[in-house]
């Protein structure tokens, strides 16, 4: 999808197809791995924008998530453990899942962690692409995130959309934690952000004029009277919708990552 300064009606942004999702996933994984190679020895303990996670924890989560994506057997084992913890300890399954992933990679050295993420990038994207259509469509599970999102997701939404958003935003988290500028462009980052805008628009259903600035720029609208006018950096827009920081008006409407 080509980005331009001409307003795009949010409802016309095409959903990410399963075939398109593979290429976006692989690129997101590879870009994360590239930033991970830049982490200096004294930066692994740096705090990230994710509560209670250091750079090492963040990398462990992504490596663990990539292991699960690359192997159906690993994914099934992980889900059983997540459900066991949720049943015995209570709490949110997403939190248990990320905790399991961090724990599973905790024994690795930082060099091993960097190498693992680079090695798993194509395998994880390929593993997600091979999940059967019937499973992607009909397998469903409840999800609770914060106080705004309490809903049921299809497996397809998770593997084709959310896992790539998660990887993309964690690359931003990582860049911020180690003080480097993320590599951004309209083709990859802009496509992911356009999909986020479209979902955000569906979730609130109100008129707006949105101008996103920066390399992954775009201009979007949902026509209507008294449209809220917003101009903001594209990355900061996503950080607000994810809950990394707060936003007013329509920017207070959460989108899952």
């Amino acid at each position: 999808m080509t980005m331009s300064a001409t307003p795009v009606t949010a409802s016309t942004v095409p959903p990410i197809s399963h075939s398109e999702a593979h290429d976006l996933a692989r690129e997101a994984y590879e870009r994360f791995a590239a930033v991970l190679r830049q982490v200096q020895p004294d930066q692994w303990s740096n705090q990230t924008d994710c509560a209670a996670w250091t750079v090492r924890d963040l990398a462990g989560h992504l490596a663990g998530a990539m292991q699960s994506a690359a192997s159906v057997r690993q994914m099934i084992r992980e889900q059983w453990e997540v459900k066991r913890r949720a049943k015995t300890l209570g709490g949110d399954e997403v939190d248990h899942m990320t905790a399991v992933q961090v724990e599973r990679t905790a024994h690795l050295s930082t060099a091993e962690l960097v190498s693992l993420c680079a090695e798993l990038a194509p395998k994880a994207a390929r593993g997600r692409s091979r999940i059967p259509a019937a499973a992607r469509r009909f397998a469903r599970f409840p999800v609770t995130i914060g106080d705004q999102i309490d809903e049921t997701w299809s497996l397809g939404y998770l593997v084709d959309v959310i896992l790539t958003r998660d990887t993309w935003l964690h690359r931003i988290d990582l860049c911020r934690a180690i003080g480097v500028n993320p590599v951004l462009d309209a083709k990859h980052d802009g496509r992911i952000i356009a999909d986020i805008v479209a979902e955000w628009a569906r979730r609130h259903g109100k008129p707006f004029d949105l101008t996103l600035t920066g390399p992954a720029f775009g201009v979007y609208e949902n026509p209507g009277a008294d449209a809220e006018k917003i101009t903001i950096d594209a990355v900061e827009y996503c950080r607000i919708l994810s809950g990394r920081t707060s936003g007013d008006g329509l920017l207070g409407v959460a989108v899952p990552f």
Side-chain angles (χ1 to χ4, degrees):
M1 181 178 181
T2 301
M3 309 302 296
S4 73
T6 302
V8 174
T9 301
S11 61
T12 68
V13 175
I16 292 173
S17 67
H18 182 60
S19 58
E20 183 184 14
H22 170 269
D23 294 339
L24 288 172
R26 178 165 181 167
E27 183 73 14
Y29 285 140
E30 289 176 345
R31 291 189 183 200
F32 179 85
V35 177
L36 201 62
R37 287 194 289 270
Q38 301 178 52
V39 179
Q40 300 301 306
D42 63 345
Q43 294 178 321
W44 287 98
S45 61
N46 286 8
Q47 180 63 45
T48 70
D49 287 336
C50 303
W53 275 7
T54 63
V55 168
R56 177 64 176 77
D57 298 326
L58 178 64
H61 156 56
L62 254 297
M66 291 165 73
Q67 285 177 328
S68 295
S71 167
V72 173
R73 182 176 299 177
Q74 182 67 62
M75 183 181 293
I76 292 173
R77 283 201 299 263
E78 180 178 288
Q79 288 304 309
W80 276 109
E81 176 61 15
V82 167
K83 291 186 179 299
R84 185 193 69 79
R85 293 190 185 193
K87 183 177 181 179
T88 58
L89 302 175
D92 181 73
E93 288 193 6
V94 173
D95 291 337
H96 289 303
M97 179 180 66
T98 56
V100 167
Q101 292 163 349
V102 172
E103 292 168 12
R104 191 168 68 236
T105 56
H107 68 286
L108 299 173
S109 68
T110 54
E112 290 171 332
L113 198 56
V114 171
S115 178
L116 180 63
C117 283
E119 175 190 339
L120 285 173
K123 297 178 182 178
R126 187 167 58 248
R128 286 164 52 183
S129 72
R130 289 177 174 175
I131 295 176
R136 296 196 312 272
R137 180 177 180 183
F138 296 111
R140 296 180 175 275
F141 52 94
V143 174
T144 301
I145 303 175
D147 58 2
Q148 289 198 50
I149 296 175
D150 186 2
E151 55 202 28
T152 299
W153 291 356
S154 69
L155 182 60
Y157 177 61
L158 174 67
V159 301
D160 286 347
V161 176
I162 293 298
L163 293 184
T164 297
R165 282 185 195 170
D166 181 66
T167 305
W168 181 87
L169 189 56
H170 282 323
R171 174 165 63 95
I172 301 301
D173 295 331
L174 178 58
C175 287
R176 287 171 54 83
I178 66 173
V180 301
N181 293 322
V183 175
L184 301 168
D185 59 54
K187 182 179 179 181
H188 175 74
D189 307 275
R191 179 63 178 106
I192 292 172
I193 293 171
D195 184 64
I196 292 166
V197 172
E199 181 168 340
W200 171 72
R202 290 193 299 270
R203 285 180 176 271
H204 63 68
K206 297 179 180 179
F208 64 85
D209 292 317
L210 173 67
T211 299
L212 299 179
T213 62
F217 73 94
V219 181
Y220 303 91
E221 65 180 2
N222 190 17
D226 300 319
E228 184 173 331
K229 298 184 183 299
I230 303 169
T231 299
I232 188 172
D233 175 76
V235 170
E236 189 63 14
Y237 166 80
C238 293
R239 293 185 66 248
I240 291 172
L241 300 192
S242 74
R244 297 295 195 275
T245 186
S246 60
D248 299 322
L250 292 182
L251 289 179
V253 177
V255 173
F257 281 77

